[in-house]
Amino acid sequence: MLPDEIKPALQGVIPSAIVTASSQGVPNGTYLSQVHYVDESHVALTHQFFNKTHRNIRENPYAMVFVTNLGTLHTWRLDLEFDRSETEGPMFDELDMQIEAIASMTGMSGVFKLQAADVYRVSSVRRMSLRTPTG
């Protein structure tokens, strides 16, 4: 389901946006440090600070994530359904190291604490495009 051409957008160079909604339909949007390719039908999102996002996902397991490729500026919309949280293991350790690297490069070492790698099933993926006056 995830095309190979989306992989550069999953490198975390440009922060990704996530949108969730409560069980009452109240939306919440925020930015993610990392969207990690797990396999062709799953991604993992870093769960650090997102109390409202995490609460929404427990009430309503669906989310929308937008990732952007820095080289092409193509943005992709991923429709996701929560699958599981991982708080240990190889994927968690890899994401924890990446978060610490990002934090140290921005002078925020020790501030970002990875609580979990939240794994989502990708239900759809679509490349977004801007409309222009000619097309």
Side-chain angles (χ1 to χ4, degrees), residues 40-120:
E40 66 183 19
S41 58
H42 292 86
V43 293
L45 310 181
T46 54
H47 171 197
Q48 296 151 263
F49 310 113
F50 312 122
N51 293 327
K52 189 169 189 177
T53 299
H54 195 64
R55 185 172 52 248
N56 283 354
I57 290 299
R58 281 182 277 157
E59 293 178 12
N60 173 13
Y62 302 101
M64 213 180 325
V65 170
F66 297 89
V67 296
T68 302
N69 178 332
L70 179 63
T72 64
L73 295 182
H74 291 150
T75 297
W76 299 81
R77 172 184 159 172
L78 286 71
D79 293 326
L80 307 175
E81 182 177 0
F82 180 77
D83 184 38
R84 67 187 183 278
S85 286
E86 295 188 9
T87 56
E88 60 184 10
M91 181 173 51
F92 178 87
D93 293 342
E94 181 180 342
L95 287 172
D96 193 37
M97 271 192 334
Q98 290 176 1
I99 293 298
E100 185 53 37
I102 292 168
S104 66
M105 286 188 286
T106 60
M108 309 232 356
S109 190
V111 174
F112 299 125
K113 176 69 178 137
L114 184 62
Q115 295 180 31
D118 290 341
V119 179
Y120 290 78

Side-chain angles (χ1 to χ4, degrees), residues 131-135:
R131 294 233 174 225
T132 63
T134 59

